[in-house]
Amino acid sequence: QVQLVESGGGLVQPGGSLRLSCAASGSIFGIADMGWYRQVPGKERELVARITKSGFTDYADSVKDRFGISRDNAKNTVYLQMNSLKPEDTAVYYCTVWVYSSPLSLVQNWGQGTQVTVSS
């Protein structure tokens, strides 16, 4: 089994910053892509940012130039630096990690979610 532990959410004023972290542990042979999604009530979960093992990144248009995703492969950890936050960024943020439990078994795992609220 794989466990993902998220941290860093909370309440922040518009224009502020937060940094989310997500550490993977457990039965890990290797890790491929890592990423962050977010979801608000009544809407589909949407991709925020994704990073490959080699460091290629991809962002939702709504967060480009404001958010930065990074990873520490030695620590099996992915980060999301969120700057210039807007009220519309308010959501539950979920980390996701594609884990090889064996050389031929790749499974997508999800964190428990962390609430980010942007409000004055």
Side-chain angles (χ1 to χ4, degrees):
Q1 279 193 337
V2 175
Q3 295 79 43
L4 302 183
V5 178
E6 302 178 15
S7 61
L11 173 65
V12 64
Q13 292 187 341
S17 297
L18 282 175
R19 189 190 194 210
L20 306 182
S21 300
C22 174
S25 63
S27 300
I28 299 173
F29 180 81
I31 291 179
D33 293 1
M34 307 177 86
W36 292 91
Y37 283 69
R38 67 186 181 188
Q39 188 170 24
V40 297
K43 291 191 175 182
E44 295 280 325
R45 191 173 295 188
E46 65 173 359
L47 175 68
V48 176
R50 181 166 170 162
I51 183 167
T52 67
K53 186 172 184 178
S54 60
F56 176 80
T57 59
D58 187 31
Y59 296 92
D61 288 342
S62 59
V63 306
K64 280 181 181 177
D65 301 323
R66 298 189 298 122
F67 290 11
I69 189 170
S70 61
R71 62 190 283 171
D72 185 331
N73 291 329
K75 296 180 179 179
N76 291 339
T77 299
V78 61
Y79 306 95
L80 185 68
Q81 178 66 44
M82 304 185 292
N83 300 322
S84 303
L85 282 160
K86 304 175 181 180
E88 51 264 41
D89 294 317
T90 296
V92 177
Y93 284 70
Y94 297 90
C95 75
T96 185
V97 179
W98 284 263
V99 176
Y100 286 98
S101 57
S102 69
L104 298 178
S105 177
L106 181 63
V107 177
Q108 185 176 17
N109 297 269
W110 293 92
Q112 79 281 6
T114 185
Q115 177 70 46
V116 171
T117 302
V118 184
S119 175
S120 55

